[in-house]
Amino acid sequence: MFSRDLHFVGCWHTHPEDVPSPSLIDTRNISDCVWRSQHALNGFVMVIVGSAPFPSGLFVSVCDASQVHPLRGASLRLESARPCGGYSDSSSHGRGTYHPARGR
């Protein structure tokens, strides 16, 4: 990815609950990813989508190697949000990439 000037900035997935919150597994996985990765970021973004309508059905956070820091009152434009990949299991998962030249 780096050779194409793409950088991992976080991940997203779904939870079956109305108002999502990170599980212990979510917290461990994202913290481990931050700790084991080589990057110049303070942490990665984690988004969890629940079944309630926006905004209560969306959990957005920045995660460092030890904590999940929920974002509150963030101005989010859903029409510009789009997943950047994923795979199937009991929930949907995706990986966010950022391309500096395009800003996405």
Side-chain angles (χ1 to χ4, degrees):
M1 282 182 23
F2 292 118
S3 65
R4 296 187 341 229
D5 209 18
L6 296 173
H7 304 276
F8 179 84
V9 295
C11 59
W12 69 272
H13 65 278
T14 62
H15 277 197
E17 58 200 352
D18 288 339
V19 179
S21 61
S23 67
L24 184 57
I25 292 171
D26 294 333
T27 303
R28 283 185 192 159
N29 286 345
I30 194 75
S31 295
D32 185 56
C33 189
V34 172
W35 184 78
R36 294 169 46 138
S37 299
Q38 292 181 2
H39 55 84
L41 303 173
N42 291 329
F44 292 147
V45 175
M46 178 172 61
V47 176
I48 304 173
V49 180
S51 57
F54 178 78
S56 59
L58 191 63
F59 177 88
V60 181
S61 62
V62 174
C63 308
D64 58 28
S66 62
Q67 285 188 304
V68 173
H69 306 277
L71 301 181
R72 305 250 187 250
S75 175
L76 300 173
R77 292 179 34 182
L78 291 181
E79 65 272 11
S80 66
R82 55 188 150 165
C84 297
Y87 57 91
S88 296
D89 64 3
S90 61
S91 62
S92 297
H93 292 74
R95 295 187 180 139
T97 55
Y98 174 75
H99 190 286
R102 288 183 256 160
R104 53 186 150 109

